[in-house]
Amino acid sequence: SNHDKWLKGLDEDATPETKQSALKASHWLQANTYEITRIYLRTGRGKPTETFMEPIGYGRIQQQSLNVLDNLMYKNQHVLHRARDCIFLAKGHFLTQAKQSINPLYWLEVIFFLPSSLVSASGIEATGKVAEIGVKVAQIIYWLAIVAAFIYKPELFEFLYSHAKIT
């Protein structure tokens, strides 16, 4: 990754080619910080912050707190480790989602819980009690509509079943 290239270029023993590669990687990281943060936030986790003590001179220290992803190139061990952890976490999250997308059981769950899945996929955060209740009510109405359709329009399900057959 570009973060790895940039870190290798910080080494005192780095070759000129490695340092040039690190410079290009640093430009890429600076230009794409917003996109990296946006992708990480799509994992459903909040902004990762790191709090640490920083010397300010004359034997004094000051507590600092910063967004790790906005400071991918901040030369502090804790921040760098946390940034790498966040990048690997996001990579693992999207790899898992890619694997789920080919799992038929996942798609059955999505169809069964369609209103909740739509709210989740839209990026709307249903964190408030009213929003959670609204999603649950929509889910119940969805299930009742399916039961009503099954009772009053069974030909709809016969049509879906006949077109979904794999022969």
Side-chain angles (χ1 to χ4, degrees):
S1 77
N2 282 319
H3 201 250
D4 290 332
K5 290 177 187 175
W6 177 73
L7 287 173
K8 287 177 184 174
L10 294 179
D11 190 8
E12 291 177 16
D13 299 333
T15 64
E17 295 84 21
T18 304
K19 288 185 180 186
Q20 184 63 31
S21 177
L23 182 63
K24 287 180 184 177
S26 72
H27 292 303
W28 186 90
L29 286 170
Q30 290 171 345
N32 291 288
T33 297
Y34 174 79
E35 185 66 13
I36 292 167
T37 302
R38 188 187 70 76
I39 289 170
Y40 176 82
L41 292 175
R42 290 191 66 202
T43 66
R45 299 177 181 266
K47 286 188 177 185
T49 58
E50 184 68 33
T51 303
F52 55 93
M53 303 305 276
E54 187 76 16
I56 58 173
Y58 300 109
R60 304 182 91 191
I61 57 173
Q62 181 179 19
Q63 183 175 345
Q64 298 282 332
S65 183
L66 50 84
N67 180 334
V68 173
L69 295 175
D70 287 343
N71 294 282
L72 286 170
M73 296 174 51
Y74 186 70
K75 295 177 185 175
N76 176 289
Q77 282 297 108
H78 296 292
V79 174
L80 287 175
H81 286 292
R82 184 83 188 278
R84 292 185 58 76
D85 289 345
C86 291
I87 290 169
F88 286 125
L89 186 129
K91 183 178 177 181
H93 172 79
F94 288 107
L95 180 63
T96 300
Q97 282 194 329
K99 289 178 184 176
Q100 281 182 336
S101 71
I102 58 174
N103 184 348
L105 294 176
Y106 169 77
W107 289 107
L108 286 174
E109 181 182 339
V110 167
I111 291 170
F112 191 71
F113 294 104
L114 189 61
S116 301
S117 299
L118 289 174
V119 169
S120 176
S122 70
I124 298 171
E125 294 196 25
T127 54
K129 286 289 182 190
V130 174
E132 286 180 29
I133 291 170
V135 170
K136 289 179 182 178
V137 167
Q139 186 67 55
I140 291 170
I141 292 170
Y142 172 72
W143 287 335
L144 291 174
I146 289 175
V147 170
F150 188 72
I151 292 171
Y152 297 111
K153 295 283 186 182
E155 62 273 6
L156 175 65
F157 292 97
E158 291 171 10
F159 172 79
L160 290 173
Y161 179 72
S162 66
H163 285 77
K165 280 186 184 176
I166 299 173
T167 54

